[in-house]
Structures are given as C-alpha cells and as structure tokens.
Amino acid sequence: MTKLITVLNGPNLNLLGKRQPEIYGHDTLDDVEQQCTALAGEFDLQVRFQQSNHEGQLVDWIHDAREDSGGIIINPGAYSHTSIAILDALNTFEGAVLEVHVSNIHQRESFRHHSYVSQRANGVIAGFGIEGYTLALRRMHTLLNAG
Ligand code: CA2
C-alpha cells in the first residue's frame, strides 16, 4: 500500500524564493513540493504538502498525520526555536519525524542554534538548501523500509 508522508512547513516559508535569496535561495515552496512529489512517486510514497504561518494549525496537521501518515518531514521555521506545543504534538506521533532547515541554523544567530523539535526528530538536515527536503524524503524511504 502507498504510504503517506506529511511534509509540513512553518511561518514565512511561503516566501521561499521571493525574499532573502542570499539565505534561502531562489526556489519557491511550489518547486519544493514538485520535487518531493516526483521523488515520492519513485518510492511509491505519497506526500501531503502543507504550509501555515499559524502554530495551532501546524499542531492540528500533526494530529491529522497521526491518523494517516507513516512519517512527518517538518521545517517548523522560527517555531523550531520557540514551540513546545509543536514538540508535544510530535511526541504523540508514532512514525518517523525528520526536521529540515533550508539554512544552516548553526551558522546563524545564537537564538537559532536550539530547536525544540530536534529533541523528537529522528534526524535533522540543515544548510542543504531546498535539497534538504528530498534528502529527508530519501531517508524517510529508508526508515520506512528498515522495519
Ligand atoms: O532555515 C530554515 O529553513 C529556517 O527554518 C527558516 C526560518 C527560520 O526562522 C529558521 O531559523 C530557519 C525562517 C523562514 C523564513 O523563510 C523565508 C523565506 C524567504 C524569504 C523570507 C523568509
């Protein structure tokens, strides 16, 4: 059966490719979704790609993923560094969680060095640009086929 992977993006990531290309590159979130959808097809996976600027919406989508998804790939944006609510929600999810950051958060301001989500994540990718999403999807494929 085709497994569903939920790909979540947090605040301001809808602006990817439209502002600050020196940090986040030129590709848009639509480009990311297309790349993930194409790769998922090769792996017989399906992706549900969602972005919100609202913390509670991301929590609700994590709850939805509890019902139907084998894994979550999440770029929580700035909520990585602040949100215990998103961490708590992810802690209720039984599948694999992979955290993606487009930029290298460890090379940036010190307030970006800590991520609450990393405490739950099975793996973290940072600083690989948007390629991080497809790398995470490859890793998800490996994890789902390991058990
Ligand atoms: O590097 C990442 O992916 C981040 O999660 C992006 C967040 C930032 O708060 C995290 O520390 C690291 C910010 C997303 C803002 O995205 C924009 C994209 C283009 C233009 C402006 C903002």
Side-chain angles (χ1 to χ4, degrees):
M1 199 181 69
T2 304
K3 278 211 176 126
L4 181 63
I5 306 302
T6 291
V7 182
L8 295 176
N9 285 281
N12 298 308
L13 285 156
N14 53 311
L15 297 177
L16 211 59
K18 299 173 182 169
R19 298 272 187 284
Q20 296 179 266
E22 68 286 0
I23 301 177
Y24 299 110
H26 289 279
D27 294 302
T28 67
L29 206 57
D30 282 347
D31 295 328
V32 178
E33 179 170 7
Q34 280 173 27
Q35 290 178 16
C36 287
T37 303
L39 186 64
E42 290 179 29
F43 292 151
D44 198 24
L45 294 172
Q46 202 189 326
V47 290
R48 179 170 62 215
F49 204 88
Q50 297 166 301
Q51 186 276 329
S52 177
N53 295 323
H54 305 279
E55 186 175 20
Q57 177 65 81
L58 292 162
V59 168
D60 286 344
W61 283 338
I62 292 166
H63 293 177
D64 290 347
R66 280 165 46 78
E67 306 298 323
D68 62 11
S69 298
I72 296 176
I73 295 171
I74 183 167
N75 182 346
Y79 288 142
S80 319
H81 320 300
T82 62
S83 180
I84 296 168
I86 290 176
L87 172 62
D88 284 348
L90 289 170
N91 277 332
T92 73
F93 181 75
E94 288 180 4
V97 175
L98 299 177
E99 178 181 357
V100 173
H101 296 283
V102 177
S103 65
N104 180 358
I105 54 175
H106 301 290
Q107 204 174 53
R108 300 182 65 191
E109 304 95 321
S110 59
F111 62 81
R112 295 186 203 275
H113 295 178
H114 175 263
S115 164
Y116 284 101
V117 168
S118 296
Q119 195 181 343
R120 166 63 182 88
N122 299 86
V124 182
I125 293 174
F128 285 71
I130 66 155
E131 200 180 341
Y133 290 88
T134 46
L135 290 170
L137 196 55
R138 283 180 191 282
R139 179 65 181 157
M140 191 62 82
H141 173 65
T142 303
L143 292 173
L144 291 176
N145 287 291

